[in-house]
Amino acid sequence: MHDAQLATKKVTFSRATQAPVDVRRRIEGRGIYYRISAGAYAGWWVGEYYPKVFLRGVHLPTTYRPQRTATFPPNVSITCIRFGSDGTTGTTKTVKFAKSSNAPFDRRAIVNGRPMVHITAGGLSGYWVPAGPVLTDGH
């Protein structure tokens, strides 16, 4: 698409706030943006910037059959997240393995604004793990 920036507006909020969005898309050369769909900023686009600006929940899921393998690198602390039934964070667990460690995963998605994989077995079963620090299928 031929995107053109028509205006900018800098806003600051005194506390965390939410706004409904109707589109999440990549804008060439700029990254991921959300279009606000209602309220004072309806029609404006805001850039995804975890942990300050992100969509809550699971978006763009891809399911893998058969499952794939995630490899945790040695000596790297990784915070894993298990969500409660209402979709908010229920439990976090930080892991750090002395040696590389593998775990099967069945899904990849954008979860709360971050690429993550869903672990299906072992001590992290049911947890979402950030895709950045772990290798997936050797990559």
Side-chain angles (χ1 to χ4, degrees):
M1 293 189 178
H2 300 290
D3 296 317
Q5 183 173 314
L6 303 176
T8 61
K9 181 185 286 192
K10 183 175 181 169
V11 295
T12 303
F13 299 99
S14 60
R15 59 184 169 80
T17 188
Q18 296 180 14
V21 301
D22 60 356
V23 177
R24 178 187 186 270
R25 69 175 278 244
R26 182 173 304 281
I27 295 180
E28 187 175 344
R30 295 188 158 252
I32 303 295
Y33 275 73
Y34 309 121
R35 184 175 62 195
I36 299 174
S37 60
Y41 301 102
W44 285 85
W45 291 81
V46 61
E48 181 176 80
Y49 183 68
Y50 179 85
K52 298 196 182 266
V53 180
F54 61 92
L55 281 180
R56 290 193 181 277
V58 177
H59 300 278
L60 304 171
T62 300
T63 301
Y64 297 109
R65 302 221 195 302
Q67 295 182 26
R68 295 189 174 181
T69 302
T71 302
F72 292 76
N75 302 313
V76 175
S77 292
I78 299 173
T79 300
C80 310
I81 304 167
R82 176 180 279 161
F83 292 96
S85 59
D86 62 355
T88 62
T89 299
T91 307
T92 60
K93 182 186 283 190
T94 301
V95 296
K96 183 177 183 179
F97 299 102
K99 297 180 182 178
S100 291
S101 182
N102 293 332
F105 69 94
D106 65 347
R107 285 179 277 165
R108 177 186 291 272
I110 303 299
V111 182
N112 289 353
R114 300 170 69 192
M116 297 187 136
V117 297
H118 182 256
I119 304 299
T120 59
L124 294 176
S125 183
Y127 281 82
W128 287 91
V129 177
V134 300
L135 296 175
T136 54
D137 294 327
H139 302 330

